[in-house]
Amino acid sequence: MSTELFSKLLSQNYIELLKDNEYYDNTIEVGEDPNVKIFRAHMNILCYRSPYLRRTLASNKKNVNDVLSHIKLPNISPDIFRIILRYIYGGILSLNGQETSDILKILIAAEVL
């Protein structure tokens, strides 16, 4: 017997969490001038889904005043990072409509992260 308790998949909930502007405890600045974007994220999810981000965050924890942790990733474009961050949160990687050069950039950035 199967009983559905939640109508959404867990991955859908995590994608919604990523889009939510509350309760984040980390900001990630990606790109280089003039193409810079700051993403809001959750340290626990980043740490458990990315060994690289876990190491980076471990050396960049909140200070005593509870100021948000901030990471800079200037070598990754905002568009590429948005795709990777969505994968980190929801396990969904959609490459439909992506140029071949963008797919290569995604693979290079994913290898680092």
Side-chain angles (χ1 to χ4, degrees), residues 15-77:
I15 294 295
E16 289 174 7
L17 179 65
L18 177 60
K19 294 176 184 176
D20 193 343
N21 288 328
E22 290 188 88
Y23 308 118
Y24 64 93
D25 57 0
N26 188 287
T27 55
I28 305 170
E29 182 178 329
V30 296
E32 292 181 340
D33 251 352
N35 189 22
V36 174
K37 179 160 173 55
I38 296 177
F39 292 88
R40 296 177 179 135
H42 304 84
M43 187 178 299
N44 287 338
I45 292 173
L46 298 177
C47 285
Y48 282 93
R49 298 283 289 160
S50 168
Y52 173 83
L53 292 173
R54 178 185 280 259
R55 287 188 305 273
T56 303
L57 288 166
S59 64
N60 191 21
K61 291 193 178 202
K62 290 182 183 181
N63 68 20
V64 177
N65 298 330
D66 266 352
V67 174
L68 295 176
S69 178
H70 185 76
I71 300 172
K72 290 186 180 185
L73 301 171
N75 297 329
I76 301 174
S77 78

